[in-house]
């Protein structure tokens, strides 16, 4: 009984201290975060990117603002798991990762928070950021058709839908449905065409596959050059990466395939982003938002996008020469939040049609 009294008493004291601690400081909103930690002159970033040019950009940011950028690099899904595990104790203020579907996963797990910034809404087009402003696209990629220059005339290609025609039987290459890139592609079709048509498409692709889905996007291009199939579904930047690879075999492969933007006369080519979000338990919110704004700015966008052979999201900034050489293209007209919203449905369809 005595113990219980003491416990209740100490709880009361702690509560009182917490309450007075919060209300006695009129500037608590600006200098303190929810956990009460004082903001310091740093920002901590969890990222799946590992480019030297990124480091140069962070150094420029530090030079301009005096804010030091600390980086934790890991694979994308690991970063999200780590954020979830660390909860309130996390050091991370920002999460940078690829795919709107994945960014949405972080959002749905309650790991991000909404950011209100005029700079970000000006620099990042509305369709390339979360509806609730919990993440913002920073670089854009397209999921295109890549074909054998030897065996396919690009005039034979037209749409994603065309790949289920009999002329492509045994010739289509694509990675497994576990990849979020494919889940987002299918989610975009659900958003544009509805579930029934999308399911028929997925079924048709499975019927036309050159082999059981395996490997990553680069492996599909390699399989084209090895003669396993003729046309693959792949993200644009892998072609850039392979063209600039230190492995001469990859360079050879990239030179032997062509890039085709499907659905130009219809719904547009599927696009996706790599993006950034302010973590739910960020301790350096103001610094973090400054870095988000900086990365969306004209000066940073070019370098940030080019590091991974991607398109800048900021419409003021021109893409690289390689991307320009592929020409302009019409993109799907959907808000990328839809890729998260329809993810579950997409996974269900993949399972139903047996897309491994
Ligand atoms: Fe990738």
């Amino acid at each position: 009984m005595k113990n219980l009294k003491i416990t209740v008493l100490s709880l009361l004291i702690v509560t009182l201290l917490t309450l007075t601690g919060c209300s006695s400081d009129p500037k608590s909103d600006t200098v303190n975060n929810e956990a009460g930690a004082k903001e310091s002159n740093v920002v901590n970033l969890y990222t799946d990117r590992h480019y030297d040019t990124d480091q140069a950009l962070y150094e420029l940011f530090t030079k301009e603002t005096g804010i030091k950028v600390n980086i934790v690099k890991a694979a994308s899904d690991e970063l999200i798991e780590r954020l979830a595990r660390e909860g309130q104790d996390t050091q991370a203020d920002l999460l940078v990762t690829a795919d709107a579907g994945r960014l949405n996963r972080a959002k749905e797990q309650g790991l991000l928070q909404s950011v209100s910034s005029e700079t970000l809404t000006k620099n990042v087009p509305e369709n390339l950021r979360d509806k609730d402003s919990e993440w913002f696209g920073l670089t854009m990629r397209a999921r295109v058709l890549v074909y054998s220059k030897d065996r396919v005339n690009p005039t034979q290609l037209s749409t994603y839908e065309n790949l289920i025609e009999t002329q492509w039987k045994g010739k289509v290459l694509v990675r497994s449905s576990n990849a979020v890139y494919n889940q987002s592609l299918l989610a975009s079709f659900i958003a544009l065409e509805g579930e029934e048509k999308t399911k028929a498409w997925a079924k048709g692709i499975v019927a036309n596959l050159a082999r059981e889905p395996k490997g990553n996007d680069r492996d599909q291009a390699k399989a084209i050059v090895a003669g396993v199939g003729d046309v693959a579904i792949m993200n644009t930047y892998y072609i850039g990466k392979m063209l600039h690879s230190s492995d001469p075999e990859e360079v050879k492969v990239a030179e032997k395939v062509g890039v085709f933007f499907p659905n130009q006369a219809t719904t547009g080519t599927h696009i996706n982003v790599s993006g950034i979000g302010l973590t739910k338990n960020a301790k350096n919110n103001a610094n973090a938002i400054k870095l988000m704004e900086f990365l969306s700015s004209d000066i940073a966008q070019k370098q940030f996008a080019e590091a991974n052979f991607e398109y800048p999201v900021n419409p003021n900034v021109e893409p690289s020469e390689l991307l320009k050489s592929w020409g302009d293209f019409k993109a799907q007209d959907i808000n990328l939040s839809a890729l998260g919203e329809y993810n579950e449905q997409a996974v269900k369809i993949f399972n139903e049609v047996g897309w491994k």
Side-chain angles (χ1 to χ4, degrees):
M1 195 63 193
K2 198 182 166 195
N3 275 347
L4 183 69
K5 269 186 191 162
I6 291 170
T7 311
V8 171
L9 192 65
S10 32
L11 262 177
L12 265 172
I13 292 170
V14 168
T15 312
L16 275 171
L17 280 176
T18 312
L19 283 174
T20 48
C22 283
S23 55
S24 65
D25 182 359
K27 287 182 290 181
S28 61
D29 280 354
T30 51
V31 296
N32 285 357
N33 70 351
E34 276 174 77
K38 200 170 177 203
E39 243 188 50
S40 44
N41 232 13
V42 297
V43 59
N44 302 313
L45 178 73
Y46 279 9
T47 179
D48 58 2
R49 291 170 60 101
H50 42 81
Y51 306 111
D52 294 343
T53 46
D54 282 18
Q55 197 50 48
L57 270 180
Y58 299 139
E59 277 161 24
L60 179 63
F61 174 76
T62 304
K63 214 174 134 195
E64 282 185 4
T65 62
I67 301 164
K68 188 171 178 271
V69 185
N70 297 317
I71 308 284
V72 170
K73 291 173 199 166
S76 3
D77 293 329
E78 249 173 67
L79 291 173
I80 292 176
E81 274 165 35
R82 183 168 167 176
L83 264 183
R85 194 173 59 238
E86 290 171 338
Q88 289 202 347
D89 297 329
T90 191
Q91 292 294 312
D93 301 305
L94 292 168
L95 170 71
V96 170
T97 189
D99 204 290
R102 192 183 274 125
L103 285 158
N104 204 68
R105 249 178 240 164
K107 177 191 176 184
E108 282 188 350
Q109 288 182 48
L111 302 175
L112 303 178
Q113 61 174 298
S114 184
V115 169
S116 164
S117 153
E118 256 178 57
T119 306
L120 284 169
T121 34
K122 189 182 79 188
N123 290 345
V124 183
E126 195 181 354
N127 63 318
L128 305 182
R129 49 180 148 95
D130 176 49
K131 276 182 187 161
D132 303 315
S133 302
E134 293 201 19
W135 53 260
F136 296 80
L138 286 179
T139 62
M140 190 182 90
R141 65 280 297 280
R143 199 151 179 76
V144 293
L145 306 186
V146 167
Y147 60 92
S148 159
K149 281 182 185 168
D150 294 340
R151 299 185 300 278
V152 176
N153 185 325
T155 57
Q156 293 171 264
L157 298 166
S158 58
T159 59
Y160 297 108
E161 290 82 354
N162 171 258
L163 291 184
I164 71 171
E165 298 300 326
T166 45
Q167 63 164 313
W168 300 111
K169 192 147 193 83
K171 292 180 177 169
V172 178
L173 289 154
V174 65
R175 71 196 295 176
S176 122
S177 65
N178 289 332
V180 72
Y181 301 154
N182 281 341
Q183 294 170 10
S184 288
L185 175 73
L186 209 64
S188 75
F189 293 169
I190 300 171
L192 288 163
E193 307 278 0
E195 184 164 355
E196 211 175 301
K197 266 192 179 175
T198 303
K199 192 173 170 181
W201 179 80
K203 206 174 166 186
I205 291 292
V206 172
N208 278 356
L209 286 177
R211 65 172 181 194
E212 232 177 52
K214 65 170 177 181
N216 55 28
D217 274 12
R218 287 185 217 221
D219 292 328
Q220 312 313 313
K222 289 174 189 169
I224 289 178
V225 174
V228 178
D230 285 351
V231 55
I233 302 174
M234 272 178 70
N235 284 354
T236 39
Y237 55 88
Y238 286 112
I239 300 299
K241 284 185 166 194
M242 291 174 91
L243 282 172
H244 292 83
S245 172
S246 57
D247 174 359
E249 280 307 307
E250 285 205 338
V251 180
K252 223 190 280 174
V253 164
E255 282 169 349
K256 286 188 166 177
V257 295
V259 170
F260 184 86
F261 292 92
N263 296 54
Q264 292 306 284
T266 61
T267 46
T269 298
H270 174 65
I271 53 163
N272 207 323
V273 288
S274 236
I276 193 164
L278 178 65
T279 66
K280 180 80 180 175
N281 295 300
K283 317 278 188 292
N284 305 291
N285 299 37
N287 295 349
I289 293 169
K290 262 187 212 156
L291 181 57
M292 292 170 91
E293 290 174 341
F294 173 78
L295 291 175
S296 76
S297 69
D298 293 13
I299 193 160
Q301 272 283 292
K302 192 157 183 77
Q303 251 169 284
F304 206 67
E306 269 183 26
N308 193 36
F309 304 97
E310 289 186 86
Y311 295 88
V313 294
N314 183 328
N316 292 333
V317 183
E318 292 225 335
S320 65
E321 289 308 315
L322 172 69
L323 273 53
K324 272 201 261 181
S325 76
W326 295 334
D328 282 339
F329 71 95
K330 173 184 160 182
Q332 287 176 336
D333 184 20
I334 50 170
N335 185 298
L336 293 196
S337 295
L339 307 185
E341 283 158 31
Y342 293 112
N343 179 276
E344 211 176 302
Q345 234 173 307
V347 172
K348 197 180 117 228
I349 291 176
F350 277 135
N351 288 335
E352 283 169 359
V353 304
W355 183 323
K356 298 213 167 141

